[in-house]
Amino acid sequence: MGELNIYRQLGIKPNFSEIARRYGFDRHTIASYWEEGGDIDDGRCRRTSGFDRHRAVIEEKAALPGVTKKAVHEFLLHRSGDAGLPGYNAFTHYCRTRGIAFSDPGGPEPHPASRRRRGASCSSTGKSPSA
């Protein structure tokens, strides 16, 4: 949390009560951090991810062709049965920050009609789509 450092650089005294409400501390604690030159530590940087204990399985499944992140997340939810397993957005963030790459989806080729230019005539009627 570099918020107090930002206030220091700008030469502004922060509203300790507002900062205390946001971080769940007492305003006197924030004031003492300010006076000591310290910063607020909310403990998130030391906390491990809920996916760390499943990392080997995630990397194994990510290496398989055609496997998606959603499929691996659903697999983990089903396999672990743990209600505390983080959600899908946290899973995608975990994979991005840890460098776990999934294979290309390599889905089917899109239908040729989806590549048609806007305003081009339809092949079956010969009419413009706007007509």
Side-chain angles (χ1 to χ4, degrees):
M1 308 287 161
E3 188 170 354
L4 292 179
N5 290 333
I6 292 172
Y7 284 121
R8 273 191 199 92
Q9 290 175 354
L10 294 173
I12 300 171
K13 182 178 178 185
N15 183 338
F16 299 133
S17 297
E18 178 190 348
I19 295 172
R21 272 191 296 275
R22 276 188 280 158
Y23 291 104
F25 289 106
D26 185 63
R27 64 186 175 90
H28 298 290
T29 305
I30 303 297
S32 67
Y33 283 144
W34 173 260
E35 291 166 4
E36 294 171 5
D39 205 359
I40 303 168
D41 180 23
D42 62 358
R44 287 185 290 179
C45 60
R46 293 183 301 276
R47 188 174 57 198
T48 61
S49 172
F51 297 111
D52 282 338
R53 63 178 182 255
H54 303 288
R55 183 167 182 145
V57 174
I58 294 169
E59 289 177 343
E60 175 188 327
K61 298 292 182 188
L64 296 173
V67 176
T68 62
K69 288 181 186 176
K70 184 68 176 173
V72 173
H73 184 255
E74 291 293 326
F75 173 78
L76 291 174
L77 286 173
H78 179 72
R79 179 177 170 222
S80 69
D82 184 11
L85 196 66
Y88 178 68
N89 287 338
F91 180 69
T92 58
H93 181 263
Y94 177 83
C95 292
R96 275 194 313 271
T97 57
R98 304 304 194 283
I100 301 172
F102 283 75
S103 62
D104 233 359
E109 192 69 23
H111 191 274
S114 66
R115 294 189 207 159
R116 187 177 48 219
R117 289 180 304 132
R118 180 170 273 205
S121 65
C122 296
S123 60
S124 61
T125 62
K127 294 182 180 178
S128 172
S130 61

